[in-house]
Amino acid sequence: MSEKKYPCPSFPHMIHGADYNPEQWPQEYWDRDMELMQQANCNEMTVGIFAWSTLEPREGEYDFSYLDTIIEKIGEAGGKVILATPSGARPRWLAEKYPEVLRVDAQGNREHIRGRHNHCPTSPVYRQKVRAINEQLARRYGNNPTVIAWHISNEYSGQCHCPLCQKAFQEYLKEKFHGDIGELNRAYWTTFWSHTYDRFDQIEPPGALTETGIHGLNLDWKRFITRQTISFIENEIAPIREHCPHLPVTTNMMYEFTDLDYHKVAQVLDFASWDSYPEWHNGDDTVIAQRAAFWHDVYRSLKQKPFLLMESTPSLVNWKPYNKPKAPGLDTLSSLQAVFHGSDSVQYFQWRKSRGSSEKLHGSVVGHDGTADTRVFASVQRTGDVLRKMDRVAGTLTDAPVALILDWENLWALDDCQGYAQKDKKYFETLYSYHRVFWERGINCDIVAPDAELSGYKLVIAPMLYLTSQATAENLRAFVAAGGTLYGTYMLGTVDENDLCHLGGIPGCGLNEVFGITAEEIDTLYPGEVRHADLGGKCHRLVDYCETLRLRDAQVLCSYADGYYKDTPAVTCHSFGAGHAIYQACRDEGSLKEEILEQWLYKLGIHSEVLGTLPHGVTCHSRTDGRFAYVFLENYLDQAAPTVQLRQPMTDLITGETVERCALPPYGYGIFQYEKGAKP
Ligand code: GLA
Ligand code: ZN
């Protein structure tokens, strides 16, 4: 790896900024905001989000005066602008005149204008109105040097059940099944309960009063929502591509989000960005940190390049059950965490705390007192100072030897299936439990789609990959055949892309050959029920699932210690081609996978930038431009961490000193650099 990739190529720097809504404030605040922006060590403002009623107060009557002024002021103050399109919420006139832009819910009720993020993605009127205002914005600001990127809409989410969406869904299926309703019936197994379709126009989206028992249909509806959202985004982007093709576009994504397949959404974006709001201090902060790390890894991996942390709170949010500020120290650490995982920005929601409406108590850089004299402002300043000192890290990439497969289609199919533990299949939790093994050991981990290019990884983990298409199976098989180590688990390869069970033994699509086993039955344990597995004389606790295996030609790594399957294989390993396929048939509480993966990390020569074991609560990540490695140490505990020994002498980017050992204070971090290939 020897390059830099900047999310915003016209501004190859670390970005420090915030969502800024000056249209909510009288003009006399604006100059003060510019002074404060400089004092806060900020260099960017994201403007225009939810500003439609200011920009187009009446249909076709545009007024860009506020935006003209504010972009100019930000530019003069040395800042840059990420400009948003306003489609996340619509002006009242638009909803009033064209009710078709309003969403219809799963009960069939057309919503009123209420809230935001609730437009119909199909409505031709809405698309046309969005396109018209985006066209104006792109023409007017697309070549303004202060503008460095486009923020398309805001947090796309949800689904619409209106007649237009239903029709578009039918068209989507007609195309997918080549106009052949018989093909659809076979793919959906509709003879079951006599639900055979005669025509495409009989198909209704799954909803409160409609068909929800056809799993293939449910899955295609979710795919359709993603497809329709993408086509809505493409319509938003088209004028930008026309008038300012040099400017990159993104949209802000979310935590544990399940409505859209972000792997597909990312394909139409130039870089990924997301809004991160972990619930710090609610329980074990190392767990919260690791889960936040997981999602940073997701967004970096989406485009395999730096992403932006588009929103985060400098202190607290106002929409959780309990809204607690981040502890002093953790505020900066949690911001930098994003950068350590590949973000080229720290951005906040929001700059100036709104005075009224639902977010008036949300954390912000500038509070209602309007000064720079607050604790939160000082911490934002400090974060900005660190970002400046590590500016050379901007654009650098993340070298990850390990990848974890995350698949939204698999999540949808798993959640929809009736069986196993009915209520909560714990897909994300299971992914987190594998990710934690690498987080605790300071090893970079990518999180990728099942069809991702895997050849660059030494180790790939595919937890609970229940839905496995032929293409995925081939991708996994090729990875192992070429020498990779693949780690699969219970439920792997159960259904195909139409949610039809694989026949002839699972894991299906030939994966049973790769793993050298056939999965036979699965015992879903009751809550509180525990089984055990023996690995080299050590007993590990198992919960939730114990699958029984028929061995083909795999080697048994460990067996069940109890249950009717006592002494039968619980974890196996199989040599296949030049690689290995490990199969974990049971869900463990952590220690079993840790022990097995630890051995494989050793075998594969995968280690962190620190010698020995990292202390509890401390982790380590890195980025590189090919020539230099940038190493980050993070302590998520409110206690000082024991000294750790770096693998070689490194330069501390904050102090300029050369260091070999590092003792982190509570919520402390270290930012180091060394030249690769240089003799330690
Ligand atoms: C989301 C939205 C913002 C704001 C914040 C509050 O991320 O994008 O507009 O509502 O939440 O935390
Ligand atoms: Zn609709």
Side-chain angles (χ1 to χ4, degrees), residues 104-341:
V104 170
D105 69 14
Q107 279 79 30
N109 302 313
R110 176 129 1 229
E111 294 184 2
H112 294 213
I113 182 166
R114 73 175 194 89
R116 58 174 180 175
H117 304 155
N118 57 345
H119 63 262
C120 165
T122 306
S123 158
V125 173
Y126 199 56
R127 287 182 176 216
Q128 185 210 324
K129 293 293 169 193
V130 168
R131 187 151 178 157
I133 192 156
N134 289 8
E135 171 102 37
Q136 297 282 332
L137 290 166
R139 272 178 193 273
R140 200 171 181 95
Y141 303 109
N143 291 300
N144 186 320
T146 300
V147 176
I148 58 169
W150 289 90
H151 175 300
I152 306 299
S153 201
N154 197 69
E155 296 188 340
Y156 286 105
S157 55
Q159 45 182 266
C160 175
H161 294 252
C162 79
L164 292 168
C165 286
Q166 176 168 350
K167 186 87 186 26
F169 182 45
Q170 291 166 354
E171 291 304 320
Y172 167 79
L173 294 177
K174 208 185 254 175
E175 197 186 314
K176 173 168 178 174
F177 294 105
H178 314 99
D180 178 357
I181 199 72
E183 192 183 330
L184 175 140
N185 280 316
R186 286 189 295 279
Y188 287 177
W189 208 255
T190 51
T191 322
F192 183 80
W193 290 351
S194 264
H195 282 185
T196 313
Y197 291 100
D198 306 311
R199 302 180 315 275
F200 282 93
D201 65 14
Q202 291 173 325
I203 298 170
E204 295 174 301
L209 305 173
T210 56
E211 178 66 72
T212 54
I214 301 176
H215 290 176
L217 178 82
N218 298 346
L219 197 52
D220 274 342
W221 171 246
K222 300 261 191 194
R223 289 184 177 123
F224 166 77
I225 303 291
T226 294
R227 208 281 307 249
Q228 210 63 352
T229 303
I230 291 173
S231 103
F232 188 88
I233 297 174
E234 284 175 321
N235 173 69
E236 287 226 31
I237 295 175
I240 293 169
R241 296 287 188 228
E242 189 184 337
H243 299 290
C244 41
H246 60 287
L247 283 181
V249 302
T250 191
T251 190
N252 47 344
M253 297 181 252
M254 291 173 269
Y255 183 85
E256 287 192 353
F257 190 66
T258 61
D259 293 5
L260 298 171
D261 181 344
Y262 279 158
H263 284 127
K264 299 233 158 54
V265 173
Q267 288 168 8
V268 295
L269 307 175
D270 296 308
F271 66 88
S273 67
W274 82 290
D275 303 341
S276 172
Y277 296 101
E279 205 160 307
W280 293 107
H281 315 309
N282 187 7
D284 182 347
D285 273 335
T286 72
V287 171
I288 295 157
Q290 180 250 319
R291 291 179 178 203
F294 176 94
W295 288 95
H296 290 312
D297 288 341
V298 169
Y299 294 110
R300 180 193 68 246
S301 306
L302 274 188
K303 300 295 281 185
Q304 290 292 349
K305 70 175 192 186
F307 62 97
L308 296 190
L309 174 63
M310 191 58 84
E311 291 180 26
S312 60
T313 177
S315 54
L316 46 66
V317 297
N318 68 335
W319 46 266
K320 305 230 182 203
Y322 302 91
N323 296 288
K324 188 186 208 45
K326 295 188 227 180
L330 184 82
D331 40 18
T332 293
L333 175 62
S334 64
S335 297
L336 294 176
Q337 180 188 28
V339 178
F340 300 160
H341 282 267

